[in-house]
Amino acid sequence: PATQEGKKTFGCFIDGKPWVAGIAPYVLDPTLHKLSSYYDQPGICGNYNNPLGITATRVDSFSYDYIQILARPVFQKGVLRQEDGIFINFFASLSKSYDFDTSFAYNLELTKFDTFNFICSGVFEFRGISQNKQDTILITDGRFDVRYSPE
């Protein structure tokens, strides 16, 4: 669901099939996390690019996938544009990697950006293109609601 309370959710459709971040309960690797997010808040750290980073992972017995979103600089909620420094990629099982296809329409919007409670929520959609430019995927109806680590 589209929430804005820091509920640690992340999901979308990839070519029409649902994709939700999660680690299967029988995967006992303590280094795996469903969601990892950070934001370099102004005045907290020495990095002045103020990047926001979100990595969502899905692991089960058949797959290891992740979607990464990096945007910089970020100072408030609103629509982010590619010229603002958005980078998105998707890594699928079997070593398939897709980069953000900037030639296709996309959307990344922060619907909540709470620097007091460290909550960031948003919606996204984009097309990914393989590194050899031979394959594309369409990611639609994406949404996330994370608690980020201030850095």
Side-chain angles (χ1 to χ4, degrees):
T3 58
Q4 296 188 20
E5 301 153 25
K7 293 197 174 217
K8 300 181 180 179
T9 59
F10 191 107
C12 61
F13 288 95
I14 299 179
D15 289 334
K17 297 177 185 167
W19 188 98
V20 177
I23 309 295
Y26 51 81
V27 177
L28 303 177
D29 184 345
T31 65
L32 292 175
H33 300 279
K34 168 173 98 168
L35 287 169
S36 172
S37 54
Y38 66 89
Y39 173 58
D40 177 28
Q41 288 189 197
I44 291 183
C45 187
N47 185 344
Y48 299 105
N49 290 327
N50 305 106
L52 168 69
I54 301 169
T55 301
T57 305
R58 183 179 73 172
V59 180
D60 61 28
S61 14
F62 303 106
S63 65
Y64 176 92
D65 308 331
Y66 65 84
I67 295 175
Q68 289 181 315
I69 296 174
L70 175 63
R72 65 178 180 262
V74 175
F75 299 109
Q76 61 190 12
K77 73 178 187 175
V79 176
L80 301 179
R81 301 174 313 259
Q82 203 263 331
E83 56 266 25
D84 293 331
I86 299 171
F87 302 94
I88 306 173
N89 69 356
F90 172 70
F91 176 83
S93 301
L94 306 174
S95 300
K96 284 190 171 187
S97 183
Y98 295 87
D99 297 320
F100 181 38
D101 185 353
T102 58
S103 68
F104 194 77
Y106 65 90
N107 181 46
L108 175 58
E109 180 179 353
L110 301 183
T111 55
K112 181 170 187 168
F113 196 58
D114 180 343
T115 58
F116 183 75
N117 294 303
F118 312 127
I119 296 172
C120 182
S121 304
V123 295
F124 62 94
E125 56 185 39
F126 67 97
R127 185 169 80 172
I129 188 164
S130 63
Q131 293 177 340
N132 66 6
K133 312 286 189 234
Q134 300 297 313
D135 189 23
T136 61
I137 57 169
L138 189 58
I139 296 184
T140 57
D141 296 316
R143 57 190 66 170
F144 58 88
D145 181 22
V146 300
R147 286 192 179 272
Y148 64 83
S149 172
E151 296 184 356

